[in-house]
């Protein structure tokens, strides 16, 4: 740990184990979704661990992410860019774009026909998300004129589930039906890519030739409301910078929002909202110090957070406080999902917000 800064400990072995569990559940290949720098945990390290475990396909969001991942992984694994990119923009990196509209199809098909080499790509059909992907009108046009795909080496047809984390939501079945019909009309015989992390738990109707788990790889619960089937991946530790005794009536932090009702002992630690420890956690979270839960008091500020350590008299400057990971009082947890629930967000946002000032320390692997 860099003196005065925190350490984000990442269990690559848990990520690999989660991926293997998902492959077994799917009964077919699963890619590794490593966009947003591997959900904040380091796309290169995560990608290498998954590649060495046998993962042969990876998804990123942006072209720059794909280029960086290719440098890390070398030749071999397929790297797919969900947001697409213009023909030839990847240079000689061999990335595959996702074609999200007829304009994308026409541009890549024309480039493939011009150089006489069909361009590998995926075709995205929108079945209910209304973000990216060919809408119903574009799908009908392409089904009627499949020659538009000449010049494209279509590897998969994909869609994206909007409500997979709500197993009973009627849109899930509707999307499955729409996707089956549209894919058969537009690209019969081409592989299909369907389920995301939560979709892998929806049953056989959501299986495909290639699933795309993301959050579940990193320990986020893909089945909200039920026990988490995934292994936890991260522990965040930050150092205690100062400990002081305060008197009854003294206040702590901005806005004097917390006041001591009796003499207390307060530890200030080196993390704040600039590091992804959200300001909305103020007064509603806790950490682990020397194996004991200590409550967050006062407001989370940009670089510092304060905890009541009165019940840990042996606490010292330089001790590590566990902000993420470990059990809490009365059985409460401190996983990314638990922290997200306290501040009205999702575990994805907790992970992807963890700041660059933490040292990423890796363990385990394939």
């Amino acid at each position: 740990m860099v003196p005065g800064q925190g350490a984000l400990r990442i269990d690559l072995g848990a990520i690999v184990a989660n991926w293997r569990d998902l492959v077994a559940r799917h009964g077919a290949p699963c890619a590794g979704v490593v966009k947003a720098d591997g959900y904040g945990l380091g796309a290169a390290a995560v990608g290498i661990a998954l590649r060495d475990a046998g993962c042969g396909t990876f998804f990123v969001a942006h072209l720059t992410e794909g280029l960086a991942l290719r440098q890390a992984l070398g030749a071999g694994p397929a790297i797919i860019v969900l947001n697409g990119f213009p023909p030839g923009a990847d240079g000689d990196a061999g990335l595959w774009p996702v074609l999200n509209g007829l304009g994308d199809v026409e541009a890549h098909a024309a480039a493939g026909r011009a150089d006489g080499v069909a361009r590998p790509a995926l075709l995205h059909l929108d079945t209910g998300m209304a973000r990216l992907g060919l809408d119903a009108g574009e799908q009908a046009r392409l089904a009627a004129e499949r020659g538009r795909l000449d010049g494209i080496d279509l590897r998969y047809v994909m869609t994206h589930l909007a409500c997979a984390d709500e197993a009973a939501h009627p849109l899930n079945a509707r999307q499955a039906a729409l996707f089956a019909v549209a894919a058969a009309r537009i690209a019969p015989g081409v592989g299909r890519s369907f389920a995301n992390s939560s979709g892998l738990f929806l049953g056989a109707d959501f299986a495909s030739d290639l699933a795309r788990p993301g959050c579940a790889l990193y320990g986020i619960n893909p089945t909200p409301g039920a026990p988490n089937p995934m292994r936890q991946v991260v522990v965040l530790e930050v150092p205690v910078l100062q400990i002081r005794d305060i008197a009854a009536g003294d206040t702590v932090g901005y806005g004097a929002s917390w006041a001591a009702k009796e003499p207390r002992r307060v530890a200030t630690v080196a993390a704040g909202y600039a590091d992804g420890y959200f300001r909305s956690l103020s007064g509603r979270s806790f950490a682990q110090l020397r194996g004991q839960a200590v409550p967050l008091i006062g407001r989370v500020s940009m670089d510092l957070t304060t905890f009541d350590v009165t019940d840990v008299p042996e606490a010292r400057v330089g001790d590590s406080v566990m902000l993420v990971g470990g059990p809490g009082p009365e059985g409460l947890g401190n996983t990314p999902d638990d922290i997200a629930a306290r501040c009205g967000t999702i575990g994805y946002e907790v992970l992807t917000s963890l700041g660059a000032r933490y040292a990423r320390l890796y363990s385990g692997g394939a």
Side-chain angles (χ1 to χ4, degrees):
M1 186 186 301
V2 177
Q5 292 182 249
L8 183 62
R9 302 186 184 278
I10 300 158
D11 186 345
L12 295 174
I15 293 175
V16 167
N18 285 338
W19 175 75
R20 287 177 171 151
D21 287 349
L22 295 170
V23 171
R25 169 173 287 277
H26 190 220
C30 289
V33 179
V34 294
K35 61 182 181 176
D37 195 27
Y39 284 55
L41 305 186
V46 172
I48 290 169
L50 288 174
R51 178 203 65 190
D52 292 349
C55 182
T57 306
F58 296 86
F59 282 83
V60 296
H62 298 292
L63 175 60
T64 52
E65 294 178 335
L67 295 172
L69 188 63
R70 176 61 75 206
Q71 281 195 318
L73 299 186
I79 299 174
I80 300 164
V81 180
L82 289 162
N83 290 0
F85 54 83
D90 63 325
D92 61 357
L95 307 181
W96 301 356
V98 172
L99 310 179
N100 289 299
L102 276 183
D104 294 342
V105 171
E106 290 164 357
H108 284 273
R113 290 193 298 267
D115 61 21
V117 179
R119 301 293 182 99
L122 278 71
L123 181 66
H124 185 179
L125 308 180
D126 177 31
T127 57
M129 181 72 86
R131 296 188 312 182
L132 295 177
L134 278 69
D135 64 21
E138 289 183 312
Q139 292 172 33
R141 289 167 62 189
L142 189 56
E145 304 175 57
R146 283 167 32 195
R148 289 172 178 262
L149 292 167
D150 292 346
I152 295 173
D153 177 9
L154 197 58
R155 300 299 176 90
Y156 294 96
V157 181
M158 63 173 281
T159 195
H160 194 69
L161 288 159
C163 302
D165 58 348
E166 301 176 53
H169 199 291
L171 186 54
N172 293 324
R174 175 173 169 76
Q175 286 193 262
L178 288 172
F179 183 49
V181 170
R185 291 175 60 206
I186 293 169
V190 174
R192 299 179 188 180
S193 177
F194 194 6
N196 55 10
S197 289
S198 294
L200 284 163
F201 292 81
L202 292 179
D205 288 345
F206 298 84
S208 66
D209 299 289
L210 181 69
R212 306 187 305 275
C215 73
L217 297 175
Y218 308 103
I220 300 299
N221 190 353
T223 57
N228 190 350
M230 313 315 299
R231 293 164 175 80
Q232 287 303 304
V233 170
V234 299
V235 169
L236 175 60
E237 297 175 329
V238 298
V240 174
L241 299 179
Q242 188 177 87
I243 296 177
R244 66 173 61 196
D245 294 310
I246 62 173
D250 286 353
T251 62
V252 174
Y254 284 117
S257 61
W258 186 90
K261 296 179 180 179
E262 56 188 356
R264 308 303 291 173
R265 197 165 184 240
V266 178
T268 301
V269 308
Y273 57 75
D275 305 293
Y277 198 66
F278 300 140
R279 188 173 184 269
S280 55
L281 289 169
S282 300
R284 59 176 67 182
S285 197
F286 59 87
Q288 286 280 332
L289 175 60
R290 293 183 177 240
Q292 297 188 56
V294 292
L296 192 164
I297 59 174
R299 291 182 183 169
V300 177
S301 53
M302 183 179 292
D303 314 296
L304 302 168
T305 304
T306 45
F307 293 88
D308 185 341
V309 298
T310 307
D311 295 332
V312 192
E314 66 273 26
R316 298 291 181 268
V317 170
D319 280 353
S320 290
V321 170
M322 189 185 301
L323 296 184
V324 180
E330 300 177 359
L332 294 176
N334 223 14
T335 68
D337 285 322
D338 296 325
I339 291 168
R342 291 183 200 122
C343 51
T345 186
I346 55 176
Y348 304 60
E349 186 175 14
V350 173
L351 287 184
T352 58
S353 297
L354 294 172
R357 294 191 288 194
Y358 303 127
R360 266 77 173 158
L361 304 179
Y362 298 97
S363 63

